[in-house]
Amino acid sequence: MGSKELLFEIGTEELPSESVYKGLEQLEEKAAKLFEENRLSFSSIETFATPRRLVLNVKGLSDKQSPQTSRIKGPSLKAAFDAEGKPTAAAMGFSASQGAEVSDLEVVEADGASYIYAVRTEAEVSAADLLPTLLFELIRSISFSKPMRWQIESNLTFARPIRWLLGMLGDQRIDLSFGELNSGGDTYGHRILSRGPIEIESARDYFAKIEKAKVILDPARRKEIIEEGILKVLQPSERANINPKTMSEVINLVEFPTVVCANFSDDYLAIPKKVLTTAMESHQRYFPVEDEDGNLKSKFILVHNGDPAANVTIKKGHERVISARLADAKFFYHEDTKKPLEESIEKLKGVVFQERLGTVYGKALRLQKLSEFLAKALEKDHLVEKAKRAALLSKADLVSEMVVEFPDLQGVMGKEYAMTSGEDIDVAEAIFEHYLPKSFDDELPKSPIGAILSMADKIDTIVGAFAVGLIPSGSQDPYALRRQTQGIVAIVLAMDLEISLGDFIEAAINLYEQENVRFTRQKSEAKREVEDFFAGRIKQHFILLGHAQDVIEAVLAPGLRGLSIIEDKIELLSKEKEGDLVADVFYVYNRCKNLSRSELGTSIEDSLLKQPEEMVLSARLKDVKAEVLKASLEKNFMAMLKLFAGLKGPVDSFFEAVLVMEKDDKIRENRIKILNLASELFEEFADFSKLTMAGD
């Protein structure tokens, strides 16, 4: 069986950067799946992408399908042939349904009986015949967040209109259609630096010709060219401030990158640095330039997709653009700083937080109360007033001229305007930090007030969303509740904060209840759902750290307590799980738990204790209870495990000598209460029944 090289190009109008990445990500995976499903083997797959094309290159693609023989089970031999060996109606009907002759049927023994089988060998279709259909399906299978339909007579969609298709199997052209568009033997080079169609004679021929047409197919290579170009246009004492997000976008805005260093007026350096960098990065996709000490210079790096011979003209055009943007920013900054930040709070009454949850002003007032609750719960009463002040001002910058124009600067400008208004530096810093972390791998708040306000802001959003039924499902999470929950978990663990998540959640629910927000479920149900949501994020956090799922579930089962306590227990249980200590604890807990009935409680009546073994166990449990509670308060979790394991002897003696299911109701229930007490003590640590133990 021979093999050939496949080249397939989807030529489009300029794709957004996100669509380039999505297309590139899916192209290889979906192509490989299609080939495997259709029994076409291959040596390797490479994919490339630019703003105007997605390219698939398959080496060693077999020129026809691999053979496939299947056996279809039919009736038993006894039912298929009569005593004289003649085929029955069952055999003839089965063979006809499989398109076979009775003489072609095979007899196979299975499970002590004989059955007839039809053998079907599927035809080996050539790759050339299969590819038009497969490549059509490949295009259709690539999904985008905002697809477009541009053909009047077709429901086919793509990220942007497809303008040409090129398919080559070796030196053979693949003819396929996608709606009204038919493939051809031509491709197109760079929009400006290459003119007219480029004829492709073979798959191997494509790469040399496309590069000659000023198209750098590989995004990684385009990044290298940009980085090398930046070094060439800067002085040795300068460096570009390269935001990874900006770089990832710039890579996919160009097919043939050219790097230019441009300037703006020194007057704009009086604007806060973050304002300047945001204007350059977020709006224009420029790279700011700094000196060796990190001070911003009146320079910026631009990457264009035009003719390098026009660099001077292109540079002047971009300088005019950034000058206009920075002039706006300077105006906004001066307008915003004419009044103290506090004066903007009243305007928040006109800004909707969420239509069923009220205004941003109402949220700021709730954040004050939640911050006070947290500060006191964390025994940081001295921070209460600063935390409340930061909470009140935390959203005031949302109505500033600057943030309306540059939304990415929320929090940044809040801090800046708080400082120009004469607010305490701790308050100003907390206003900025309360948005952290902004992503799963972002930095966390460093100050205690920032951490308090960040957690208050996030729990308010999470609880509010759950209260009115805005619960994440599948990949849908419009209010980023997963990220915000993970943010709280990360802050608590990183700062080793002692806080009951259950109490924190309830405090947030109570504030919404006081505002008469109409819940779509009972308060208790909303709380349980939020706790379960947190438990899922906590579980994921510890799984990513390498802990076993059963250990995590065992520790989380008794409920959400302090996260640092949960962390310590998980680490200890993970370390000790394979040893004798945890094996004994697991054994004792399950022996007691199996006959326990929590509804009976743990109030043991000594007058109903009849046998020495139940008296000994009851007395020992009461002594251990005090020791367990003491060890728990001291966070001496190893001591707790040893206390539990030490109950093995008294528990074994109890079960060997005492009949728990005594006919007398009172005696029976009293004995069950002993087991309830034992189970309850163990659950101060974890639900050990959830552990998966060797030999269990």
Side-chain angles (χ1 to χ4, degrees), residues 485-500:
T485 304
Q486 190 64 44
I488 293 175
V489 172
I491 290 168
V492 172
L493 290 175
M495 301 188 77
D496 197 21
L497 302 177
E498 293 294 338
I499 179 69
S500 166

Side-chain angles (χ1 to χ4, degrees), residues 144-197:
F144 301 95
S145 55
K146 295 181 180 179
M148 293 179 62
R149 183 171 69 87
W150 70 97
Q151 298 180 347
I152 297 173
E153 301 298 328
S154 171
N155 286 322
L156 300 173
T157 64
F158 208 70
R160 288 293 184 272
I162 297 176
R163 293 309 184 201
W164 76 87
L165 294 170
L166 169 67
M168 300 295 299
L169 182 62
D171 57 5
Q172 179 183 356
R173 197 173 86 183
I174 301 167
D175 294 318
L176 73 143
S177 299
F178 192 75
E180 301 165 6
L181 181 68
N182 297 316
S183 65
D186 296 337
T187 185
Y188 294 84
H190 190 281
R191 188 182 289 279
I192 297 170
L193 303 176
S194 175
R195 298 294 181 185

